[in-house]
Amino acid sequence: MDKVRYSYLQQQFDKPEQIFEGIRQLLQTGAFTLGPQVEQFEKSFAALIGTKHAIGVGSGTDALKLPLKALGIGHGDEVITAANTFIATAGAINEIGARPVFVDATKYYTMNVDQVEKAITPKTKAIMPVHLTGEPVDMGPLMAIAKKHNLPIVEDACQSILCEIDGQRAGTFGAAAGFSLHPLKNLNVWGDAGVVVTNSDEVANKLRLLRNHGMKNRDEIAVFGYNSRLDTLQAIVGNWLIPQTKDITAQRRKNAAYYDEAFSKMNGMIRLAPRRSNVHQVYHLYMFEVEEAHRNKLHSYLLSKGIEAKVHYPIPLFLQEGLKFLGYKPGDFPETERQAREILTLPVDQHLSREEADYCIHHVQKYFQNGGM
Ligand SMILES: *Cc1c(COP(=O)(O)O)cnc(C)c1O
């Protein structure tokens, strides 16, 4: 074997005839914005997650921004979120003029709920937990805090379609939740797209306005909105994929269990986040940890063997140049910083073959057998 690739998209879409047929049918109608394909996608997506509504939007970032906007959050407000996340979470908060306020991570990589209450100020208007890597936030205690302080929750479920905690699905806890359909997410289309879910009729109605210029109909504007419709072509791809989502999840979980088994026998050279019995992890990312002294060397070694290991993410957001104005400094979120120095991600997708997984395991073992080259 000479390569274990990170992106599996060519394999995933190597038989696109059914999708092309859907696009051919669309061409006969010329209805390129919204339309029945988008409605069908929204219906199936809501059924998949188990919410009353799903509203297709232009990206995962917009799927976080629009619900904040719909809840009336804007300039001068603060939204509490995870220090350990992808830039888009904080970006969505910033885009509506609000300020992201970070809290540190747990050893599961998700927001440390115990630290949320001390981050609340009179300006706090919402909480945005991030179900990172496919691992859910501890929603029970977070819901209690949100209720006590009368703060709405908008879940960032962009990495965590079908993940569950205590038998309840990510995306069904808060006032609304955003999902990404980006090509590298577990349910992925051919470009940018996102979807918001909610059980509230009122929030759903506002979201339908906000994504389409605030237009009630062709002639009447209810509010200033955005141009952020789910693209009809992407909805066709999404409709093709939705029935496969549960199998995709099952395969990723199988691959992760296979890695877990091998790595747990490595005398502590490899550390794994505890696997909790009340959690249904969907492994958007398969992460493990090694001693800081080994991380970059192991990463380089794996790359030299053609294994496209990655680091999600090497520089925490609060230490990024573009976020300097928020005033954070090194040491503010020690667990997030520790993880940034020790984590590594291996391919875990549904197209990863057993041979490829074995090849990855073999080289991780070999690195340590040789004393960490
Ligand atoms: C991918 C992602 C987003 C944003 O999704 P886009 O579709 O790329 O805009 C937001 N939050 C997290 C945690 C993500 O991984």
Side-chain angles (χ1 to χ4, degrees), residues 12 44 100 109 120 131 133 146 156 163 182 190 243 252-253 258 272 314 318 334 344 350 354 366 370:
Q12 186 181 16
S44 320
Y109 310 115
I120 296 175
H131 307 296
T133 78
D156 180 343
C163 105
H182 180 278
W190 292 356
R252 283 174 174 266
R253 282 170 52 81
Y258 191 71
L272 300 172
F318 67 96
L344 212 46
Q350 66 272 22
R354 197 36 63 91
K366 195 164 166 199
N370 295 349

Side-chain angles (χ1 to χ4, degrees), residues 107-118:
K107 58 190 170 191
Y108 310 110
Y109 310 115
T110 54
M111 172 191 254
N112 189 335
V113 172
D114 294 340
Q115 297 184 17
V116 167
E117 227 167 353
K118 69 170 196 255

